[in-house]
Amino acid sequence: MTLPQRIEHIVQHGLAALHPCVYADLGARDQIPEIAADLEKEVALLCPGRDAKAIVAEFISRMPEVKRLVETDVQAAYEGDPAATSPMEVVMAYPGLYAVTIHRMAHELYELKVPIIPRIMSELAHSKTGIDIHPGAKIGERFFIDHGTGVVIGETCVIGRNVKLYQGVTLGALSFDKDPETGALVKGIKRHPNVEDDVVIYAGATILGGNTTIGKGSEIGGSVWLISSVPPNSRVYNKPPAPTIKKM
């Protein structure tokens, strides 16, 4: 198997550990030892000179907290979508939950400075859902992406708790600084926005820049373009265009 295929295999075991009612076979054994064994081989391959066993042990120790966070995401989706008939439906049929679940695993590996694997994991979710979340993004509990297609969340985004995004939202970079001598892009700086607690961002909104913060409790309307911060409890929207209606 190729590396992406092997990582997909690990992701499937991770999904089974986090959502056993959907992704695990009936009577299946504990997924965690299999995740650890497979992941240790890949980390050893990609991180020569580092203690792969210790890295994987730390990742496994974080899985209970990942599971807790994912359970809050399920509840947020169920409570936040009137079309959801049960938490089980959210787990089985909501692409946003699928992408966020994979992100929460990928993010822990990113925090442990494991190369390549987190990006492969996020791209597996992207290819299946159309939702592109960089594994570096920090996302609080009760996160819900409704519908989801076209959502982009950049590497240095920081998202608070109880945040809801709709399809087509971009949390991106405004511009890229360049080294004045070499002209190369400067890496490792804050490029993407902060979204505080209890924010709703509607379809097609674009929010750019590392210095941009959406204040707590705010609502960002559809198709809004923002490159500056918004104070808490703000409502931001475009003036609706006047439609032309002609009799047929």
Side-chain angles (χ1 to χ4, degrees):
M1 289 195 295
T2 65
L3 177 59
Q5 288 171 332
R6 298 196 302 271
I7 300 308
E8 184 172 15
H9 181 73
I10 293 169
V11 166
Q12 289 304 316
H13 284 299
L15 290 169
L18 297 170
H19 301 300
C21 58
V22 174
Y23 293 102
D25 294 331
L26 288 175
R29 60 182 181 274
D30 183 11
Q31 304 291 322
I32 296 298
E34 198 155 353
I35 295 169
D38 291 344
L39 188 57
E40 187 177 327
K41 294 175 188 175
E42 305 303 339
V43 173
L45 178 67
L46 294 168
C47 303
R50 295 181 64 191
D51 188 341
K53 185 180 287 292
I55 292 169
V56 172
E58 177 60 26
F59 172 75
I60 294 301
S61 75
R62 299 182 183 189
M63 283 293 281
E65 174 61 9
V66 170
K67 185 174 176 62
R68 185 194 72 79
L69 288 170
V70 168
E71 288 172 351
T72 72
D73 299 330
V74 172
Q75 196 62 28
Y78 173 60
E79 294 172 2
D81 184 2
T85 61
S86 67
M88 176 68 80
E89 182 183 0
V90 171
V91 176
M92 295 187 71
Y94 279 52
L97 191 277
Y98 181 89
V100 172
T101 299
I102 292 178
H103 169 76
R104 294 210 183 274
M105 291 187 285
H107 178 71
E108 296 305 329
L109 291 171
Y110 176 93
E111 290 286 294
L112 291 167
K113 300 189 183 332
V114 174
I116 302 176
I117 293 174
R119 290 304 302 270
I120 293 174
M121 293 171 72
S122 66
E123 188 52 36
L124 288 169
H126 183 200
S127 64
K128 288 190 176 183
T129 65
I131 298 169
D132 185 1
I133 310 176
H134 192 285
K138 297 179 180 179
I139 300 176
E141 63 185 30
R142 290 183 57 82
F143 183 55
F144 177 32
I145 301 176
D146 200 359
H147 304 294
T149 305
V151 166
V152 176
I153 301 174
E155 178 185 19
T156 61
C157 275
V158 178
I159 298 175
R161 70 181 304 278
N162 201 40
V163 170
K164 182 177 183 179
L165 309 183
Y166 284 84
Q167 68 273 16
V169 167
T170 296
L171 303 177
L174 177 59
S175 61
F176 299 101
D177 292 339
K178 293 184 178 181
D179 186 294
E181 295 183 3
T182 67
L185 295 179
V186 178
K187 299 180 183 290
I189 61 174
K190 183 82 163 76
R191 307 183 306 280
H192 306 97
N194 302 312
V195 179
E196 295 183 346
D197 298 348
D198 305 317
V199 168
V200 179
I201 306 176
Y202 285 95
T206 298
I207 303 169
L208 305 178
N211 294 321
T212 303
T213 295
I214 306 303
K216 180 178 179 179
S218 293
E219 183 178 288
I220 310 301
S223 301
V224 163
W225 174 280
L226 272 177
I227 58 173
S228 57
S229 294
V230 170
N233 302 308
S234 298
R235 177 173 289 175
V236 182
Y237 56 91
N238 294 324
K239 185 177 180 179
T244 300
I245 303 174
K246 294 183 178 180
K247 187 174 182 179
M248 298 293 290

